[in-house]
Amino acid sequence: MSAPEGSSTHGPLARRLTVLSGPSGVGKSTVVAEIRRSHPEVWLSVSVTTRAPRPGETDGVQYFFVDDAGFDRLVAEGELLEWAEFAGNRYGTPRRPVEERLARGEPVLLEIDLQGARQVRRSMPQARLVFLAPPSWEELVRRLTGRGTEPPDVIERRLEAARVELAAEKEFDVTLVNTSVQDVCDELLALMAVQ
Ligand code: 5GP
């Protein structure tokens, strides 16, 4: 289904699109989980990933978990708005649910990595890109090593990615420092104009 003339998601409608990005371990998913809890009416895009579920993760809630062939098929069929490889796994945003909501003028929040944020910047220049920054580098290392769910080589890859991602802050429209999850949620919801 194509969008009617003048309502392309590349145009003004994309203003309703907010992209939350930032280094792995900075707390993006905690912020998103808190918004889900306190504002269940806010629709959050659910990404597709080839990563294995962590304990407590449910298919269709945090992610849609697919195998490599399933991900290849989504890419080939143009079903992903953006996708990226991150620390050995692939992650992508299903295109259709996002476009449908934007076409209805509803706010949309994507929580994606830096490569994905750059793709959205190119394809939808009017989207608002929000960078979630850690209070300090030491705090980010503590969070990444303290999660206890990943083996050391995975943590090392994520720290490497985090160094690169921190340097990208200037590409974003807004920076929020994650000193308090509640404050970040409030600021993000205000940006999205959700009361
Ligand atoms: P995790 O494995 O910790 O859940 O996520 C790893 C990274 O992938 C995080 O930085 C997260 O923001 C990013 N990510 C999650 N979903 C998507 C997506 O749909 N697209 C892109 N580009 N990155 C994603």
Side-chain angles (χ1 to χ4, degrees):
M1 191 185 72
S2 63
E5 192 96 52
S7 68
S8 149
T9 46
H10 301 249
L13 286 177
R15 273 190 209 132
R16 297 294 270 161
L17 178 61
T18 305
V19 175
L20 180 67
S21 197
S24 174
V26 75
K28 299 187 296 287
S29 51
T30 309
V31 167
V32 165
E34 176 56 21
I35 290 179
R36 206 175 254 134
R37 193 195 63 76
S38 62
H39 286 75
E41 77 282 8
V42 175
W43 183 78
L44 297 158
S45 166
V46 179
S47 297
V48 179
T49 184
T50 58
R51 159 165 90 56
R54 293 189 185 123
E57 288 184 334
T58 308
D59 188 46
V61 178
Q62 290 82 10
Y63 287 104
F64 294 107
F65 297 97
V66 298
D67 59 12
D68 270 319
F71 201 97
D72 285 344
R73 202 164 44 242
L74 292 171
V75 172
E77 290 168 0
E79 292 288 341
L80 300 180
L81 186 66
E82 58 74 37
W83 68 272
E85 189 166 333
F86 182 90
N89 294 299
R90 286 183 294 170
Y91 300 81
T93 304
R95 177 189 298 280
R96 253 184 275 188
V98 169
E99 291 189 343
E100 281 167 13
R101 277 170 177 83
L102 290 178
R104 290 203 294 268
E106 295 170 10
V108 166
L109 178 63
L110 305 184
E111 184 246 292
I112 59 179
D113 86 322
L114 175 64
Q115 306 163 69
R118 283 180 175 141
Q119 289 175 49
V120 173
R121 169 65 89 210
R122 276 195 299 274
S123 61
M124 297 182 178
Q126 309 215 18
R128 179 183 273 133
L129 267 54
V130 179
F131 189 84
L132 190 61
S136 66
W137 171 252
E138 289 70 27
E139 177 61 19
L140 184 62
V141 173
R142 203 184 60 76
R143 289 184 194 183
L144 271 174
T145 48
R147 186 151 63 186
T149 48
E150 265 84 25
D153 61 317
V154 172
I155 289 175
E156 194 38 56
R157 284 165 85 175
R158 281 169 185 255
L159 280 175
E160 230 172 274
R163 273 183 211 104
V164 174
E165 288 186 316
L166 277 179
E169 181 189 336
K170 55 189 178 302
E171 297 171 35
F172 285 71
D173 301 309
V174 183
T175 293
L176 301 179
V177 179
N178 194 7
T179 40
S180 134
V181 172
Q182 201 51 59
D183 288 353
V184 170
C185 287
D186 290 347
E187 287 161 342
L188 201 53
L189 291 165
L191 282 172
M192 294 170 69
V194 175
Q195 304 313 316

